[in-house]
Amino acid sequence: MLFRSEAKYHSTETRYHCPCGLEPEAEAQLRNLALRAFTAIGCSGWGRVDFMVGADGVPLMLEVNTVPGMTAKSLVPMAARVAGIAFEELCWRVLETSFAREPVAR
Protein backbone atom coordinates (compact mmCIF):
# COMPACT_ATOMS: atom_id res chain seq x y z
CA MET A 1 0.00 0.00 0.00
CA LEU A 2 1.36 3.40 -1.01
CA PHE A 3 1.02 6.43 1.19
CA ARG A 4 -0.61 9.43 -0.49
CA SER A 5 2.65 11.36 -0.96
CA GLU A 6 4.40 8.30 -2.41
CA ALA A 7 1.51 7.64 -4.78
CA LYS A 8 1.24 11.26 -5.82
CA TYR A 9 4.88 12.27 -6.19
CA HIS A 10 7.00 9.15 -6.66
CA SER A 11 5.09 6.17 -7.98
CA THR A 12 5.03 5.39 -11.68
CA GLU A 13 1.87 3.32 -11.09
CA THR A 14 -0.44 6.18 -10.08
CA ARG A 15 -2.89 7.13 -12.84
CA TYR A 16 -5.11 10.18 -13.09
CA HIS A 17 -8.08 10.28 -15.42
CA CYS A 18 -8.81 13.64 -16.96
CA PRO A 19 -11.54 13.90 -17.95
CA CYS A 20 -12.69 11.61 -15.18
CA GLY A 21 -15.24 9.67 -17.23
CA LEU A 22 -18.40 10.79 -15.45
CA GLU A 23 -21.50 11.64 -17.43
CA PRO A 24 -21.65 15.33 -18.48
CA GLU A 25 -24.54 15.97 -16.08
CA ALA A 26 -22.54 14.60 -13.14
CA GLU A 27 -19.50 16.68 -14.11
CA ALA A 28 -21.70 19.78 -14.33
CA GLN A 29 -23.10 19.04 -10.86
CA LEU A 30 -19.59 18.73 -9.41
CA ARG A 31 -18.48 21.91 -11.17
CA ASN A 32 -21.44 23.77 -9.63
CA LEU A 33 -20.76 22.32 -6.16
CA ALA A 34 -17.08 23.24 -6.44
CA LEU A 35 -17.85 26.83 -7.37
CA ARG A 36 -20.43 27.14 -4.58
CA ALA A 37 -17.97 25.76 -2.00
CA PHE A 38 -15.15 28.00 -3.25
CA THR A 39 -17.20 31.18 -3.04
CA ALA A 40 -19.01 30.18 0.18
CA ILE A 41 -15.78 30.30 2.14
CA GLY A 42 -14.73 33.61 0.59
CA CYS A 43 -12.24 32.39 -1.98
CA SER A 44 -11.62 34.24 -5.21
CA GLY A 45 -9.29 33.87 -8.14
CA TRP A 46 -8.20 30.30 -8.68
CA GLY A 47 -7.96 27.11 -6.69
CA ARG A 48 -9.07 23.50 -6.72
CA VAL A 49 -11.93 21.72 -4.97
CA ASP A 50 -11.51 17.97 -4.49
CA PHE A 51 -14.31 15.41 -4.38
CA MET A 52 -14.68 11.68 -4.09
CA VAL A 53 -17.76 10.03 -5.53
CA GLY A 54 -18.91 6.88 -3.79
CA ALA A 55 -20.39 3.79 -5.40
CA ASP A 56 -23.80 5.30 -4.60
CA GLY A 57 -22.96 8.28 -6.84
CA VAL A 58 -23.08 10.77 -3.97
CA PRO A 59 -20.20 13.28 -4.08
CA LEU A 60 -18.20 13.95 -0.92
CA MET A 61 -16.19 17.17 -0.86
CA LEU A 62 -12.73 16.57 0.54
CA GLU A 63 -11.15 20.01 0.54
CA VAL A 64 -10.90 23.44 -0.99
CA ASN A 65 -7.28 23.94 -1.96
CA THR A 66 -6.44 27.63 -2.42
CA VAL A 67 -2.84 26.94 -3.41
CA PRO A 68 -2.84 23.79 -5.54
CA GLY A 69 0.38 22.45 -6.98
CA MET A 70 1.80 23.57 -10.29
CA THR A 71 4.33 20.80 -10.92
CA ALA A 72 4.49 18.38 -13.83
CA LYS A 73 2.40 15.91 -11.80
CA SER A 74 -0.11 18.44 -10.46
CA LEU A 75 -3.79 18.27 -11.27
CA VAL A 76 -4.40 21.91 -12.25
CA PRO A 77 -1.85 21.91 -15.12
CA MET A 78 -3.19 18.48 -16.18
CA ALA A 79 -6.76 19.78 -16.36
CA ALA A 80 -5.59 22.90 -18.19
CA ARG A 81 -3.80 20.77 -20.82
CA VAL A 82 -6.99 18.79 -21.40
CA ALA A 83 -8.85 22.10 -21.83
CA GLY A 84 -6.29 23.20 -24.42
CA ILE A 85 -4.50 25.69 -22.15
CA ALA A 86 -0.70 25.61 -22.30
CA PHE A 87 1.24 25.86 -19.03
CA GLU A 88 2.52 29.36 -19.86
CA GLU A 89 -1.03 30.58 -20.52
CA LEU A 90 -2.21 28.95 -17.30
CA CYS A 91 0.45 30.83 -15.34
CA TRP A 92 -0.67 34.14 -16.86
CA ARG A 93 -4.30 33.37 -16.04
CA VAL A 94 -3.39 32.56 -12.43
CA LEU A 95 -1.45 35.83 -12.14
CA GLU A 96 -4.34 37.82 -13.60
CA THR A 97 -6.73 36.43 -10.98
CA SER A 98 -4.30 37.30 -8.21
CA PHE A 99 -4.74 41.06 -8.44
CA ALA A 100 -7.23 42.61 -6.05
CA ARG A 101 -10.36 43.80 -7.82
CA GLU A 102 -11.03 46.36 -5.11
CA PRO A 103 -8.56 48.18 -2.88
CA VAL A 104 -7.90 46.28 0.32
CA ALA A 105 -9.11 48.19 3.39
CA ARG A 106 -6.34 48.92 5.86
Side-chain angles (χ1 to χ4, degrees):
M1 181 171 134
L2 293 175
F3 290 103
R4 184 175 187 263
S5 63
E6 288 178 53
K8 186 171 184 179
Y9 298 110
H10 304 293
S11 175
T12 58
E13 297 176 23
T14 302
R15 301 288 181 259
Y16 295 100
H17 302 279
C18 189
C20 64
L22 293 175
E23 294 295 323
E25 299 82 22
E27 285 197 28
Q29 177 191 19
L30 289 175
R31 213 174 9 260
N32 183 31
L33 288 171
L35 184 56
R36 288 176 47 209
F38 194 74
T39 57
I41 63 172
C43 294
S44 65
W46 75 291
R48 191 187 76 230
V49 180
D50 296 342
F51 293 93
M52 284 179 38
V53 179
D56 59 2
V58 176
L60 174 66
M61 187 178 69
L62 301 175
E63 69 173 333
V64 176
N65 189 333
T66 58
V67 188
M70 292 289 282
T71 69
K73 290 190 170 192
S74 296
L75 301 175
V76 170
M78 179 190 309
R81 270 192 310 277
V82 170
I85 301 169
F87 185 74
E88 294 79 10
E89 176 68 18
L90 173 63
C91 291
W92 278 112
R93 290 186 185 195
V94 167
L95 286 172
E96 288 172 346
T97 67
S98 299
F99 294 103
R101 292 188 178 102
E102 298 177 15
V104 176
R106 293 183 191 230

XYZ file of all heavy atoms in Angstrom:
814
model
N 0.835 -1.176 0.000
C 0.000 0.000 0.000
C 0.884 1.245 0.000
O 1.808 1.366 0.779
C -0.885 0.005 1.243
C -1.806 1.176 1.311
S -2.985 0.940 2.655
C -2.913 2.519 3.385
N 0.592 2.159 -0.924
C 1.357 3.396 -1.013
C 0.708 4.482 -0.167
O -0.513 4.607 -0.119
C 1.405 3.878 -2.462
C 2.169 3.030 -3.457
C 1.994 3.600 -4.853
C 3.628 2.967 -3.101
N 1.533 5.257 0.509
C 1.017 6.431 1.188
C 0.714 7.493 0.138
O 1.261 7.468 -0.962
C 2.030 6.958 2.211
C 2.181 6.052 3.390
C 3.273 5.220 3.514
C 1.203 6.033 4.380
C 3.405 4.382 4.601
C 1.322 5.195 5.466
C 2.424 4.366 5.574
N -0.161 8.427 0.474
C -0.605 9.428 -0.495
C 0.560 10.149 -1.158
O 0.598 10.294 -2.373
C -1.529 10.437 0.186
C -2.090 11.445 -0.783
C -3.100 12.343 -0.087
N -3.757 13.193 -1.036
C -3.398 14.443 -1.274
N -2.407 14.977 -0.623
N -4.042 15.166 -2.163
N 1.540 10.615 -0.377
C 2.645 11.363 -0.963
C 3.478 10.483 -1.888
O 3.934 10.942 -2.939
C 3.530 11.989 0.114
O 4.126 10.995 0.906
N 3.670 9.213 -1.522
C 4.400 8.299 -2.407
C 3.642 8.104 -3.709
O 4.225 8.154 -4.790
C 4.606 6.947 -1.730
C 5.605 6.947 -0.611
C 5.688 5.571 0.029
O 5.898 4.589 -0.707
O 5.534 5.497 1.258
N 2.336 7.860 -3.592
C 1.513 7.637 -4.784
C 1.468 8.862 -5.668
O 1.518 8.769 -6.888
C 0.104 7.228 -4.368
N 1.392 10.021 -5.046
C 1.239 11.255 -5.818
C 2.542 11.718 -6.456
O 2.551 12.156 -7.606
C 0.685 12.348 -4.908
C 0.364 13.630 -5.637
C -0.377 14.593 -4.741
C -0.772 15.832 -5.494
N -1.516 16.766 -4.661
N 3.647 11.640 -5.719
C 4.881 12.266 -6.192
C 5.952 11.311 -6.699
O 6.838 11.736 -7.430
C 5.479 13.133 -5.080
C 4.570 14.261 -4.674
C 3.941 14.260 -3.433
C 4.318 15.324 -5.536
C 3.103 15.300 -3.062
C 3.473 16.359 -5.178
C 2.880 16.340 -3.939
O 2.044 17.353 -3.575
N 5.877 10.028 -6.329
C 7.000 9.150 -6.659
C 6.632 7.913 -7.477
O 7.456 7.434 -8.242
C 7.716 8.718 -5.371
C 8.175 9.875 -4.545
N 9.163 10.742 -4.942
C 7.748 10.336 -3.338
C 9.335 11.672 -4.030
N 8.491 11.455 -3.042
N 5.450 7.416 -7.318
C 5.086 6.168 -7.981
C 4.884 6.371 -9.482
O 4.352 7.381 -9.921
C 3.788 5.619 -7.376
O 3.386 4.469 -8.094
N 5.313 5.387 -10.236
C 5.025 5.394 -11.678
C 3.732 4.641 -11.965
O 3.316 4.550 -13.117
C 6.188 4.749 -12.460
O 6.365 3.414 -11.978
C 7.466 5.547 -12.302
N 3.099 4.093 -10.930
C 1.868 3.320 -11.092
C 0.602 4.159 -10.927
O -0.479 3.737 -11.331
C 1.840 2.168 -10.087
C 2.956 1.174 -10.299
C 2.963 0.092 -9.234
O 1.911 -0.140 -8.619
O 4.027 -0.512 -9.019
N 0.723 5.330 -10.327
C -0.444 6.182 -10.084
C -0.954 6.734 -11.411
O -0.190 7.212 -12.234
C -0.080 7.346 -9.143
O 0.424 6.790 -7.932
C -1.294 8.207 -8.851
N -2.257 6.646 -11.608
C -2.889 7.134 -12.837
C -3.993 8.117 -12.478
O -4.777 7.892 -11.565
C -3.500 5.986 -13.644
C -2.518 4.919 -14.060
C -1.586 5.421 -15.171
N -0.665 4.396 -15.589
C 0.603 4.320 -15.204
N 1.090 5.193 -14.363
N 1.392 3.365 -15.641
N -4.034 9.208 -13.221
C -5.112 10.178 -13.085
C -5.919 10.145 -14.373
O -5.358 9.971 -15.451
C -4.553 11.590 -12.862
C -3.809 11.726 -11.562
C -2.420 11.689 -11.520
C -4.504 11.890 -10.376
C -1.748 11.810 -10.319
C -3.835 12.013 -9.169
C -2.448 11.975 -9.152
O -1.794 12.098 -7.963
N -7.206 10.319 -14.250
C -8.085 10.276 -15.416
C -8.704 11.649 -15.604
O -9.487 12.105 -14.774
C -9.171 9.211 -15.232
C -8.613 7.853 -14.997
N -8.165 7.052 -16.022
C -8.367 7.165 -13.859
C -7.701 5.929 -15.532
N -7.806 5.974 -14.218
N -8.331 12.292 -16.686
C -8.814 13.638 -16.961
C -9.121 13.718 -18.451
O -8.198 13.648 -19.255
C -7.761 14.658 -16.564
S -8.316 16.348 -16.613
N -10.369 13.800 -18.820
C -11.541 13.902 -17.946
C -11.762 12.601 -17.181
O -11.262 11.553 -17.541
C -12.697 14.189 -18.895
C -12.249 13.710 -20.230
C -10.747 13.801 -20.242
N -12.556 12.707 -16.120
C -12.691 11.606 -15.175
C -13.588 10.476 -15.667
O -13.574 9.402 -15.101
C -13.201 12.127 -13.841
S -14.858 12.818 -13.927
N -14.399 10.732 -16.689
C -15.241 9.674 -17.228
C -16.670 9.695 -16.727
O -17.451 8.817 -17.086
N -17.008 10.667 -15.900
C -18.402 10.789 -15.452
C -19.274 11.300 -16.590
O -18.783 11.891 -17.553
C -18.507 11.761 -14.271
C -17.856 11.331 -12.962
C -17.946 12.460 -11.950
C -18.522 10.073 -12.421
N -20.555 11.093 -16.465
C -21.496 11.640 -17.428
C -21.440 13.171 -17.364
O -21.162 13.735 -16.297
C -22.922 11.169 -17.108
C -23.117 9.672 -17.271
C -22.946 9.229 -18.716
O -23.366 9.977 -19.628
O -22.384 8.138 -18.929
N -21.706 13.858 -18.474
C -21.652 15.329 -18.481
C -22.514 15.981 -17.403
O -22.109 16.986 -16.808
C -22.147 15.699 -19.879
C -21.814 14.506 -20.717
C -21.976 13.316 -19.806
N -23.674 15.400 -17.112
C -24.543 15.974 -16.077
C -23.879 15.887 -14.700
O -23.972 16.814 -13.887
C -25.905 15.266 -16.034
C -26.689 15.362 -17.318
C -26.260 14.336 -18.377
O -25.659 13.296 -18.026
O -26.511 14.588 -19.562
N -23.223 14.780 -14.419
C -22.541 14.596 -13.138
C -21.359 15.552 -13.023
O -21.118 16.140 -11.964
C -22.083 13.152 -12.970
N -20.611 15.733 -14.122
C -19.502 16.683 -14.109
C -20.013 18.100 -13.884
O -19.409 18.866 -13.132
C -18.700 16.598 -15.402
C -17.819 15.371 -15.456
C -16.739 15.476 -16.519
O -16.313 16.608 -16.846
O -16.333 14.419 -17.019
N -21.123 18.445 -14.509
C -21.703 19.779 -14.328
C -22.128 19.984 -12.879
O -21.934 21.063 -12.313
C -22.885 19.975 -15.277
N -22.695 18.948 -12.257
C -23.102 19.038 -10.855
C -21.882 19.280 -9.968
O -21.914 20.129 -9.072
C -23.822 17.767 -10.421
C -24.208 17.785 -8.956
C -24.678 16.426 -8.428
O -24.401 15.391 -9.020
N -25.371 16.446 -7.315
N -20.800 18.554 -10.210
C -19.594 18.734 -9.408
C -18.977 20.108 -9.639
O -18.493 20.743 -8.691
C -18.575 17.631 -9.717
C -18.946 16.247 -9.211
C -17.930 15.217 -9.688
C -19.053 16.229 -7.700
N -18.995 20.577 -10.870
C -18.476 21.915 -11.174
C -19.254 22.969 -10.383
O -18.678 23.879 -9.790
C -18.586 22.160 -12.680
C -17.518 23.005 -13.249
C -17.503 23.154 -14.767
N -18.616 22.646 -15.529
C -18.630 21.476 -16.176
N -17.582 20.690 -16.149
N -19.686 21.091 -16.847
N -20.589 22.843 -10.358
C -21.443 23.767 -9.631
C -21.165 23.691 -8.125
O -21.037 24.718 -7.455
C -22.910 23.462 -9.931
C -23.849 24.427 -9.263
O -23.526 25.600 -9.063
N -25.042 23.959 -8.923
N -21.067 22.478 -7.588
C -20.764 22.316 -6.164
C -19.400 22.914 -5.814
O -19.243 23.555 -4.766
C -20.793 20.837 -5.775
C -22.156 20.168 -5.705
C -21.993 18.662 -5.520
C -22.987 20.764 -4.577
N -18.421 22.707 -6.679
C -17.079 23.240 -6.437
C -17.104 24.763 -6.395
O -16.526 25.381 -5.488
C -16.115 22.751 -7.520
N -17.769 25.381 -7.341
C -17.850 26.833 -7.373
C -18.583 27.369 -6.147
O -18.160 28.350 -5.525
C -18.532 27.294 -8.656
C -18.602 28.802 -8.864
C -17.221 29.438 -8.821
C -19.293 29.109 -10.182
N -19.676 26.714 -5.764
C -20.429 27.141 -4.581
C -19.579 27.030 -3.318
O -19.590 27.934 -2.475
C -21.708 26.336 -4.455
C -22.737 26.733 -5.520
C -23.993 25.900 -5.519
N -24.558 25.703 -4.198
C -25.263 24.630 -3.842
N -25.498 23.673 -4.720
N -25.757 24.519 -2.637
N -18.832 25.937 -3.174
C -17.969 25.761 -1.998
C -16.866 26.809 -1.980
O -16.570 27.403 -0.936
C -17.369 24.348 -2.001
N -16.269 27.051 -3.124
C -15.155 27.998 -3.248
C -15.596 29.399 -2.843
O -14.936 30.062 -2.048
C -14.661 27.964 -4.700
C -13.338 28.624 -4.924
C -12.158 28.016 -4.514
C -13.257 29.838 -5.584
C -10.924 28.613 -4.750
C -12.032 30.444 -5.815
C -10.866 29.828 -5.391
N -16.727 29.830 -3.356
C -17.203 31.179 -3.041
C -17.808 31.260 -1.640
O -17.713 32.298 -0.995
C -18.212 31.681 -4.087
O -19.298 30.764 -4.180
C -17.554 31.832 -5.452
N -18.387 30.167 -1.149
C -19.014 30.176 0.178
C -18.003 30.462 1.288
O -18.360 31.064 2.303
C -19.717 28.856 0.451
N -16.773 30.052 1.099
C -15.779 30.299 2.137
C -14.927 31.531 1.840
O -13.909 31.760 2.480
C -14.905 29.060 2.409
C -14.097 28.657 1.177
C -15.747 27.909 2.913
C -13.078 27.567 1.468
N -15.375 32.328 0.861
C -14.732 33.608 0.594
C -13.540 33.565 -0.326
O -12.779 34.525 -0.399
N -13.361 32.477 -1.052
C -12.240 32.389 -1.983
C -12.545 33.174 -3.256
O -13.696 33.354 -3.631
C -11.971 30.935 -2.353
S -11.406 29.932 -0.981
N -11.486 33.605 -3.903
C -11.617 34.235 -5.211
C -10.375 33.884 -6.016
O -9.409 33.349 -5.487
C -11.758 35.758 -5.079
O -10.571 36.310 -4.538
N -10.429 34.178 -7.292
C -9.287 33.873 -8.143
C -9.314 32.427 -8.593
O -10.260 32.003 -9.230
N -8.297 31.683 -8.220
C -8.202 30.304 -8.679
C -7.940 29.381 -7.492
O -7.532 29.807 -6.425
C -7.099 30.173 -9.727
C -5.724 30.207 -9.141
C -5.102 31.285 -8.575
C -4.819 29.123 -9.033
N -3.873 30.932 -8.120
C -3.659 29.610 -8.402
C -4.883 27.796 -9.419
C -2.567 28.799 -8.146
C -3.783 26.994 -9.157
C -2.642 27.496 -8.538
N -8.187 28.117 -7.709
C -7.962 27.106 -6.691
C -8.439 25.772 -7.220
O -8.672 25.611 -8.423
N -8.598 24.820 -6.322
C -9.069 23.498 -6.716
C -9.939 22.962 -5.587
O -9.608 23.114 -4.418
C -7.873 22.569 -6.945
C -8.246 21.257 -7.596
C -7.074 20.288 -7.658
N -6.859 19.716 -6.342
C -5.677 19.672 -5.725
N -4.600 20.147 -6.292
N -5.575 19.147 -4.520
N -11.046 22.344 -5.945
C -11.931 21.722 -4.966
C -11.948 20.229 -5.288
O -12.224 19.840 -6.422
C -13.357 22.319 -5.024
C -14.252 21.657 -3.985
C -13.311 23.829 -4.810
N -11.624 19.407 -4.282
C -11.506 17.968 -4.486
C -12.732 17.234 -3.964
O -13.235 17.548 -2.882
C -10.271 17.427 -3.759
C -8.975 17.985 -4.322
O -8.994 18.504 -5.449
O -7.951 17.899 -3.627
N -13.174 16.259 -4.740
C -14.305 15.414 -4.381
C -13.924 13.958 -4.540
O -13.039 13.617 -5.322
C -15.492 15.649 -5.336
C -16.118 16.990 -5.230
C -15.715 18.026 -6.046
C -17.154 17.221 -4.337
C -16.309 19.268 -5.975
C -17.756 18.461 -4.254
C -17.335 19.491 -5.069
N -14.647 13.116 -3.821
C -14.682 11.679 -4.088
C -16.144 11.360 -4.342
O -17.028 11.956 -3.720
C -14.186 10.866 -2.887
C -12.694 10.888 -2.734
S -12.057 9.971 -1.295
C -13.083 8.549 -1.178
N -16.390 10.454 -5.261
C -17.762 10.026 -5.531
C -17.852 8.555 -5.169
O -17.106 7.735 -5.697
C -18.156 10.262 -7.005
C -19.575 9.775 -7.263
C -18.024 11.734 -7.364
N -18.753 8.249 -4.237
C -18.906 6.878 -3.785
C -19.636 6.015 -4.800
O -20.145 6.506 -5.816
N -19.691 4.737 -4.526
C -20.390 3.792 -5.398
C -21.861 4.156 -5.544
O -22.486 3.835 -6.556
C -20.253 2.372 -4.851
N -22.396 4.872 -4.538
C -23.796 5.299 -4.605
C -23.987 6.543 -5.460
O -25.099 7.019 -5.633
C -24.346 5.542 -3.193
C -23.554 6.595 -2.431
O -22.585 7.180 -2.992
O -23.893 6.842 -1.251
N -22.882 7.105 -5.987
C -22.963 8.280 -6.837
C -23.038 9.595 -6.092
O -23.119 10.653 -6.701
N -22.990 9.552 -4.771
C -23.082 10.771 -3.968
C -21.687 11.382 -3.812
O -20.771 10.710 -3.323
C -23.696 10.476 -2.584
C -23.694 11.729 -1.713
C -25.102 9.927 -2.740
N -21.515 12.653 -4.219
C -20.203 13.281 -4.076
C -19.923 13.689 -2.637
O -20.820 14.113 -1.904
C -20.300 14.514 -4.977
C -21.745 14.812 -5.085
C -22.470 13.501 -4.905
N -18.669 13.549 -2.226
C -18.203 13.955 -0.918
C -17.057 14.933 -1.143
O -16.039 14.572 -1.737
C -17.716 12.741 -0.130
C -17.059 13.021 1.214
C -18.070 13.605 2.202
C -16.445 11.750 1.765
N -17.252 16.186 -0.697
C -16.192 17.169 -0.865
C -15.097 16.905 0.154
O -15.362 16.762 1.342
C -16.723 18.588 -0.690
C -15.670 19.625 -1.040
S -16.243 21.310 -0.899
C -16.411 21.444 0.859
N -13.863 16.838 -0.323
C -12.725 16.569 0.542
C -12.070 17.844 1.052
O -11.744 17.954 2.225
C -11.681 15.730 -0.195
C -12.152 14.378 -0.710
C -11.057 13.720 -1.521
C -12.583 13.505 0.453
N -11.833 18.785 0.139
C -11.154 20.010 0.539
C -11.282 21.078 -0.536
O -11.538 20.782 -1.691
C -9.660 19.765 0.794
C -8.870 19.461 -0.475
C -7.369 19.387 -0.252
O -6.859 20.025 0.690
O -6.697 18.694 -1.033
N -11.089 22.316 -0.088
C -10.904 23.440 -0.992
C -9.436 23.800 -0.871
O -8.962 24.140 0.208
C -11.798 24.644 -0.613
C -11.502 25.829 -1.518
C -13.270 24.264 -0.688
N -8.716 23.683 -1.955
C -7.280 23.935 -1.964
C -7.047 25.284 -2.639
O -7.246 25.422 -3.848
C -6.564 22.811 -2.700
C -5.061 22.898 -2.570
O -4.498 23.973 -2.381
N -4.411 21.761 -2.682
N -6.632 26.285 -1.867
C -6.437 27.628 -2.416
C -5.060 27.831 -3.021
O -4.822 28.852 -3.670
C -6.662 28.694 -1.325
O -5.756 28.457 -0.247
C -8.100 28.645 -0.823
N -4.170 26.863 -2.825
C -2.837 26.942 -3.410
C -2.461 25.564 -3.957
O -1.570 24.892 -3.444
C -1.784 27.429 -2.375
C -0.444 27.686 -3.061
C -2.252 28.669 -1.656
N -3.152 25.114 -5.000
C -2.842 23.786 -5.538
C -1.489 23.779 -6.247
O -0.985 24.819 -6.670
C -3.992 23.526 -6.513
C -4.529 24.856 -6.862
C -4.248 25.762 -5.696
N -0.933 22.597 -6.356
C 0.381 22.446 -6.976
C 0.403 22.832 -8.446
O -0.608 22.802 -9.137
N 1.593 23.188 -8.891
C 1.797 23.568 -10.289
C 3.000 22.827 -10.870
O 3.708 23.348 -11.720
C 1.990 25.086 -10.393
C 0.755 25.892 -10.070
S -0.525 25.752 -11.328
C 0.122 26.853 -12.575
N 3.216 21.597 -10.423
C 4.335 20.804 -10.923
C 3.879 19.974 -12.124
O 2.707 19.973 -12.487
C 4.863 19.847 -9.838
O 3.878 18.832 -9.597
C 5.191 20.575 -8.558
N 4.802 19.236 -12.678
C 4.489 18.384 -13.829
C 3.454 17.318 -13.493
O 2.738 16.844 -14.363
C 5.770 17.728 -14.351
N 3.356 16.935 -12.212
C 2.397 15.907 -11.804
C 1.145 16.481 -11.150
O 0.312 15.745 -10.656
C 3.060 14.924 -10.840
C 4.099 14.042 -11.491
C 4.517 12.957 -10.535
C 5.374 11.934 -11.257
N 5.554 10.740 -10.456
N 1.021 17.795 -11.139
C -0.106 18.436 -10.458
C -1.372 18.381 -11.304
O -1.328 18.335 -12.539
C 0.228 19.889 -10.136
O 1.303 19.959 -9.232
N -2.503 18.429 -10.606
C -3.793 18.266 -11.270
C -4.255 19.503 -12.038
O -4.889 19.369 -13.087
C -4.847 17.859 -10.236
C -4.545 16.554 -9.498
C -5.591 16.302 -8.423
C -4.470 15.392 -10.465
N -3.949 20.698 -11.551
C -4.397 21.909 -12.251
C -3.753 22.008 -13.643
O -4.468 22.194 -14.636
C -4.156 23.176 -11.405
C -4.388 24.437 -12.225
C -5.071 23.168 -10.182
N -2.429 21.878 -13.775
C -1.850 21.907 -15.121
C -2.369 20.769 -16.012
O -2.552 20.950 -17.220
C -0.342 21.775 -14.877
C -0.145 22.280 -13.497
C -1.383 21.873 -12.747
N -2.651 19.602 -15.413
C -3.188 18.481 -16.184
C -4.563 18.838 -16.745
O -4.835 18.634 -17.935
C -3.305 17.235 -15.300
C -3.868 16.032 -16.026
S -4.267 14.640 -14.935
C -2.780 14.438 -13.993
N -5.422 19.394 -15.906
C -6.758 19.779 -16.360
C -6.682 20.894 -17.396
O -7.439 20.895 -18.373
C -7.604 20.222 -15.164
N -5.759 21.820 -17.216
C -5.590 22.901 -18.188
C -5.176 22.340 -19.551
O -5.714 22.750 -20.585
C -4.554 23.909 -17.684
N -4.230 21.396 -19.553
C -3.800 20.775 -20.819
C -4.978 20.156 -21.543
O -5.137 20.307 -22.754
C -2.734 19.704 -20.561
C -1.335 20.193 -20.574
C -0.307 19.058 -20.610
N -0.500 18.004 -19.627
C -0.090 18.058 -18.358
N 0.525 19.129 -17.912
N -0.291 17.037 -17.551
N -5.819 19.440 -20.801
C -6.988 18.793 -21.396
C -7.934 19.838 -21.987
O -8.564 19.609 -23.013
C -7.710 17.904 -20.357
C -9.049 17.420 -20.862
C -6.821 16.718 -19.989
N -7.989 21.010 -21.351
C -8.853 22.097 -21.830
C -8.181 22.913 -22.942
O -8.743 23.898 -23.413
C -9.227 23.011 -20.674
N -6.974 22.504 -23.339
C -6.285 23.199 -24.423
C -5.522 24.433 -23.977
O -5.193 25.292 -24.793
N -5.214 24.534 -22.690
C -4.498 25.690 -22.154
C -3.062 25.274 -21.843
O -2.824 24.396 -21.007
C -5.181 26.212 -20.868
C -6.631 26.601 -21.165
C -4.407 27.387 -20.281
C -7.463 26.865 -19.922
N -2.118 25.897 -22.523
C -0.698 25.612 -22.300
C -0.277 26.099 -20.915
O -0.900 27.007 -20.343
C 0.149 26.299 -23.363
N 0.783 25.518 -20.376
C 1.242 25.861 -19.034
C 1.536 27.355 -18.903
O 1.179 27.986 -17.901
C 2.475 25.036 -18.664
C 2.928 25.254 -17.252
C 2.221 24.714 -16.189
C 4.055 26.023 -16.986
C 2.631 24.922 -14.878
C 4.464 26.237 -15.678
C 3.755 25.686 -14.629
N 2.180 27.937 -19.905
C 2.520 29.360 -19.861
C 1.254 30.212 -19.776
O 1.182 31.176 -19.015
C 3.351 29.757 -21.087
C 4.714 29.110 -21.146
C 4.689 27.659 -21.632
O 3.636 27.172 -22.119
O 5.734 26.995 -21.497
N 0.244 29.869 -20.553
C -1.031 30.582 -20.521
C -1.702 30.403 -19.160
O -2.269 31.355 -18.606
C -1.951 30.083 -21.633
C -3.339 30.687 -21.627
C -3.389 32.170 -21.963
O -2.416 32.695 -22.541
O -4.411 32.796 -21.625
N -1.643 29.211 -18.623
C -2.211 28.950 -17.299
C -1.561 29.854 -16.257
O -2.254 30.459 -15.425
C -2.024 27.475 -16.918
C -2.420 27.086 -15.497
C -3.917 27.296 -15.269
C -2.036 25.640 -15.233
N -0.250 29.973 -16.295
C 0.455 30.828 -15.336
C -0.009 32.274 -15.447
O -0.237 32.941 -14.434
C 1.964 30.733 -15.543
S 2.641 29.126 -15.068
N -0.167 32.772 -16.680
C -0.666 34.141 -16.856
C -2.076 34.286 -16.302
O -2.408 35.273 -15.649
C -0.637 34.558 -18.328
C 0.717 35.032 -18.756
C 1.559 34.430 -19.625
C 1.397 36.204 -18.291
N 2.716 35.145 -19.734
C 2.646 36.248 -18.926
C 1.067 37.217 -17.384
C 3.565 37.269 -18.700
C 1.999 38.240 -17.166
C 3.218 38.255 -17.814
N -2.922 33.297 -16.548
C -4.303 33.368 -16.038
C -4.328 33.377 -14.516
O -5.121 34.098 -13.907
C -5.136 32.214 -16.580
C -5.424 32.352 -18.067
C -6.359 31.265 -18.520
N -6.564 31.302 -19.958
C -7.545 30.655 -20.568
N -8.405 29.920 -19.881
N -7.670 30.724 -21.878
N -3.471 32.575 -13.889
C -3.388 32.564 -12.428
C -2.947 33.936 -11.925
O -3.529 34.487 -10.986
C -2.434 31.456 -11.937
C -2.099 31.622 -10.471
C -3.037 30.088 -12.197
N -1.924 34.502 -12.544
C -1.448 35.829 -12.141
C -2.545 36.884 -12.286
O -2.721 37.734 -11.411
C -0.226 36.237 -12.970
C 1.070 35.533 -12.604
C 2.151 35.867 -13.612
C 1.503 35.898 -11.196
N -3.277 36.834 -13.378
C -4.337 37.817 -13.604
C -5.428 37.741 -12.542
O -6.026 38.754 -12.197
C -4.946 37.629 -14.992
C -4.014 38.074 -16.101
C -4.525 37.715 -17.483
O -5.459 36.888 -17.599
O -3.989 38.267 -18.461
N -5.692 36.561 -12.016
C -6.733 36.432 -10.983
C -6.191 36.792 -9.603
O -6.967 36.838 -8.648
C -7.302 35.005 -10.929
O -6.292 34.104 -10.480
C -7.864 34.562 -12.260
N -4.903 37.027 -9.507
C -4.296 37.297 -8.208
C -4.311 38.767 -7.825
O -3.983 39.117 -6.700
C -2.838 36.801 -8.199
O -2.823 35.414 -8.434
N -4.673 39.644 -8.741
C -4.740 41.060 -8.443
C -6.069 41.389 -7.777
O -7.108 40.911 -8.199
C -4.585 41.898 -9.722
C -3.228 41.767 -10.340
C -3.046 40.976 -11.459
C -2.131 42.394 -9.774
C -1.790 40.837 -12.036
C -0.867 42.261 -10.344
C -0.707 41.479 -11.476
N -6.008 42.218 -6.746
C -7.232 42.612 -6.048
C -8.129 43.401 -6.993
O -7.665 44.273 -7.725
C -6.882 43.451 -4.826
N -9.403 43.087 -6.979
C -10.362 43.801 -7.817
C -10.753 45.129 -7.177
O -11.103 46.069 -7.831
C -11.587 42.930 -8.044
C -11.254 41.715 -8.896
C -12.515 40.956 -9.293
N -12.141 39.837 -10.133
C -12.068 38.582 -9.709
N -12.347 38.286 -8.471
N -11.713 37.619 -10.530
N -10.711 45.151 -5.862
C -11.028 46.360 -5.110
C -9.876 46.626 -4.154
O -9.236 45.685 -3.682
C -12.328 46.179 -4.330
C -13.528 45.925 -5.213
C -14.793 45.672 -4.387
O -14.801 45.970 -3.183
O -15.755 45.151 -4.957
N -9.636 47.895 -3.852
C -8.564 48.179 -2.876
C -8.835 47.481 -1.555
O -9.967 47.393 -1.103
C -8.624 49.692 -2.715
C -9.371 50.192 -3.910
C -10.282 49.081 -4.342
N -7.794 46.962 -0.961
C -7.898 46.284 0.324
C -7.959 47.339 1.413
O -7.133 48.245 1.473
C -6.690 45.348 0.545
C -6.741 44.711 1.922
C -6.626 44.303 -0.555
N -8.970 47.254 2.287
C -9.113 48.191 3.393
C -7.990 47.969 4.404
O -7.669 46.831 4.727
C -10.471 48.033 4.052
N -7.429 49.037 4.860
C -6.340 48.923 5.863
C -6.745 49.554 7.151
O -7.435 50.429 7.292
C -5.074 49.581 5.332
C -4.548 48.803 4.152
C -3.248 49.419 3.688
N -2.931 48.818 2.410
C -1.768 48.295 2.132
N -0.826 48.312 3.041
N -1.521 47.771 0.982
